[in-house]
């Protein structure tokens, strides 16, 4: 697996149960996956020789992130490396403009957009002014490559602001994508997996809650989502996985409009934050499923094992608490023994994902209380403070 982050760390956990050994390409020995797997290559995903070292003798090369240059993956494929997902699929998760154009050609619903490749095109017939005149303001300006967790995505309030933001990116050599700002009811995620054999499997569609561009909460299944809309989202994700030639897990992030329409926002071709609930709430978690898919095993059941699961991300606090993580965990379990906690072994920094907690409920009617408990737990693990004033010694 290229990348030594938390996704590789949790994939390693799944690999153990399958009798597999996961070798990871990490940039440092203290990265989350490098802390726990015995087979680590220290190097860079932008160096061909490092990629060759991690792929040597492996059954398959897969990814913790999508930032490996396509030209390097093409060389590995030419040398006989089994790359999954293959580079011709992965590019649709690497390049937002390539993705938008391909999805549009496939008839998938996407926001209105235009791509701008250079400063010369900024004020051209397909430039910022023309796009704003067509869709109105505000609009969203995105870096075509490299953005995640809200990075590389900025909202522009008017034409002048949009031109300034786009100009900053383009001056730095980064092409941009301009998109209409979609009126939202909420954001959803349709997570599926596909094997080289062509077998597909879909988990229940979930609702994702964002704060400052970062996913902070996932509710599985998405509440008050009609069966028809849920099936449409799952079928769309499975169709895209097949059309794009995906091997492994695919997350299709969706906008749901107030009228109930779905628009594709982003694609991720790897285990995804919106699928962390599956580790405790599904018969087959996304990390095991990703391994099954890239190794061409039959895929596992994606049925939920509880009527509702809430996943809360643990984000680094603005100021790191004086209380150790171990002590915070001790107090959390004393109050909430049913919490399923997954910590990543990361140094705490403001806004950084350092873990997540899953809570399972016996009835969808429990959702408000379950969500409150999940948010309390995540804040406690981040800040060492109970927002409701709970006193363990009271």
């Amino acid at each position: 697996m290229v990348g030594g982050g938390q996704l590789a760390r949790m994939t390693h956990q799944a690999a153990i149960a399958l009798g597999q050994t996961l070798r990871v390409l990490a940039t440092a020995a203290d990265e989350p996956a490098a802390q726990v797997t015995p087979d680590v290559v220290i190097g860079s995903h932008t160096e061909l020789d490092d990629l060759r070292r991690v792929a040597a003798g492996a059954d398959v090369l897969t990814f913790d992130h999508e930032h490996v240059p396509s030209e390097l993956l093409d060389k590995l494929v030419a040398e006989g490396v089994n790359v999954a997902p293959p580079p011709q699929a992965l590019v649709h998760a690497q390049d937002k403009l390539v993705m938008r154009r391909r999805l549009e050609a496939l008839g998938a619903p996407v926001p209105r957009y235009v791509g701008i490749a250079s400063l010369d095109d900024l004020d051209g017939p397909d430039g910022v002014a023309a796009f704003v005149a067509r869709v109105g303001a505000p609009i969203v300006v995105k870096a075509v490559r490299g953005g995640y967790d809200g990075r590389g995505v900025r909202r522009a309030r008017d034409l002048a602001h949009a031109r300034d933001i786009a100009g900053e990116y383009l001056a730095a050599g980064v092409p941009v994508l301009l998109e209409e700002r979609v009126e939202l009811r909420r954001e959803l995620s349709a997570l599926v997996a596909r094997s080289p054999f062509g077998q597909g499997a879909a988990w229940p569609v979930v609702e994702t809650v964002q704060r400052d561009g970062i996913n902070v909460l996932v509710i599985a299944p998405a509440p008050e989502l009609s069966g028809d809309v849920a099936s449409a989202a799952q079928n769309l994700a499975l169709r895209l996985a097949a059309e794009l030639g995906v091997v492994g897990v695919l997350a299709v992030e969706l906008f749901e409009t107030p009228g109930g329409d779905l628009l594709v926002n982003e694609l991720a071709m790897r285990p995804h934050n919106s699928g962390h609930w599956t580790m405790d709430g599904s018969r087959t978690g996304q990390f095991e499923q990703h391994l099954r898919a890239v190794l061409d095993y039959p895929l596992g059941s994606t049925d939920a094992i509880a009527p509702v699961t809430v996943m809360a991300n643990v984000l680094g606090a603005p100021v790191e608490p004086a209380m150790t993580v171990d002590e915070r965990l001790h107090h959390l379990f004393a109050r909430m023994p049913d919490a399923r906690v997954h910590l990543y072994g990361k140094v705490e920094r403001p806004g950084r994902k350092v873990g997540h907690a899953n809570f399972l409920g016996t009835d969808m009617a429990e959702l408000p209380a379950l969500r409150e408990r999940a948010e309390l737990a995540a804040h406690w693990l981040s800040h060492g403070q109970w927002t409701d004033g709970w006193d363990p010694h009271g």
Side-chain angles (χ1 to χ4, degrees):
M1 182 167 262
V2 177
Q6 66 263 25
L7 301 182
R9 181 185 179 105
M10 290 181 278
T11 303
H12 168 68
Q13 293 174 249
I16 293 170
L18 300 183
Q20 297 290 338
T21 300
L22 184 74
R23 180 188 301 148
V24 298
L25 177 63
T27 58
D30 62 351
E31 287 192 351
Q35 296 173 21
V36 297
T37 180
D39 198 353
V40 182
V41 171
I42 303 298
S44 170
H45 62 272
T46 61
E47 294 293 333
L48 181 59
D49 285 344
D50 292 339
L51 292 168
R52 284 174 172 149
R53 284 196 295 144
V54 77
D59 294 290
V60 61
L61 182 73
T62 190
F63 306 95
D64 167 278
H65 60 74
E66 293 105 340
H67 305 311
V68 184
S70 298
E71 60 271 18
L72 300 186
L73 295 179
D74 288 335
K75 290 180 180 178
L76 294 179
V77 171
E79 294 169 6
V81 176
N82 177 18
V83 177
Q88 64 269 26
L90 188 64
V91 68
H92 298 94
Q94 296 174 318
D95 189 303
K96 294 179 176 64
L97 186 56
V98 170
M99 179 265 289
R100 281 280 178 264
R101 288 171 173 164
R102 182 68 187 281
L103 295 193
E104 193 173 43
L106 292 173
V110 297
R112 289 177 291 176
Y113 72 93
V114 68
I116 301 179
S118 70
L119 284 168
D120 292 338
D121 301 326
L122 193 62
D123 297 311
D126 294 319
V128 178
F131 184 72
V132 172
R134 180 157 62 94
V135 306
I139 66 169
V140 180
V141 183
K142 296 182 176 181
V144 166
R145 283 179 174 258
Y148 66 97
D149 280 349
R151 298 176 180 88
V153 178
R154 296 175 63 184
R155 292 182 179 179
R157 56 185 176 271
D158 54 31
L159 172 59
H161 193 208
R163 194 187 184 286
D164 288 345
I165 295 172
E168 288 176 24
Y169 282 128
L170 293 167
V174 179
V176 297
L177 183 73
L178 308 182
E179 284 189 354
E180 65 174 321
R181 187 173 181 273
V182 177
E183 185 180 356
L184 292 182
R185 179 190 175 203
R186 58 181 169 178
E187 295 189 47
L188 304 172
S189 178
L191 194 75
V192 300
R194 181 176 179 273
S195 72
F197 182 72
Q199 183 186 11
W203 284 275
V205 178
V206 303
E207 178 177 346
T208 64
V209 180
Q210 319 294 321
R211 187 179 303 136
D212 297 327
I214 300 176
N215 180 22
V216 295
L217 207 71
V218 172
I219 304 168
E224 300 178 2
L225 185 67
S226 75
D228 288 345
V229 176
S231 293
Q234 290 174 315
N235 288 332
L236 173 63
L238 288 168
R239 180 169 73 87
L240 292 179
E243 294 277 7
L244 300 178
V246 174
V247 174
V249 167
L250 169 70
V252 180
E253 298 178 65
L254 300 160
F255 294 142
E256 182 185 15
T257 70
D261 294 327
L262 299 178
L263 300 173
V264 178
N265 177 31
E266 303 279 359
L267 301 179
M269 294 184 191
R270 49 172 171 77
H272 190 253
N273 195 211
S274 68
H276 288 350
W277 71 274
T278 65
M279 298 176 73
D280 302 299
S282 173
R283 295 195 182 279
T284 308
Q286 66 165 342
F287 297 99
E288 177 185 332
Q289 194 82 299
H290 186 73
L291 289 172
R292 288 196 190 205
V294 301
L295 293 168
D296 209 7
Y297 291 167
L299 300 182
S301 168
T302 51
D303 291 343
I305 60 175
V308 58
T309 301
V310 176
M311 185 283 295
N313 275 323
V314 179
L315 306 177
V319 177
E320 185 176 348
M323 186 184 296
T324 67
V325 173
D326 182 68
E327 190 174 355
R328 280 174 263 161
L329 192 64
H330 180 104
H331 284 290
L332 176 67
F333 285 154
R335 183 179 184 183
M336 302 178 180
D338 61 319
R340 304 291 297 173
V341 179
H342 303 268
L343 298 177
Y344 307 153
K346 287 183 171 182
V347 174
E348 296 176 71
R349 291 201 295 263
R352 190 185 199 192
K353 292 176 183 173
V354 296
H356 69 271
N358 288 327
F359 288 82
L360 279 62
T362 57
D363 191 288
M364 185 58 86
E366 290 183 39
L367 176 58
L370 202 66
R371 177 170 177 169
E372 182 181 10
R373 294 179 72 236
E375 291 176 325
L376 279 169
H379 190 274
W380 167 256
L381 287 172
S382 296
H383 295 72
Q385 299 170 345
W386 292 110
T387 55
D388 63 349
W390 186 76
D391 180 2
H393 306 295

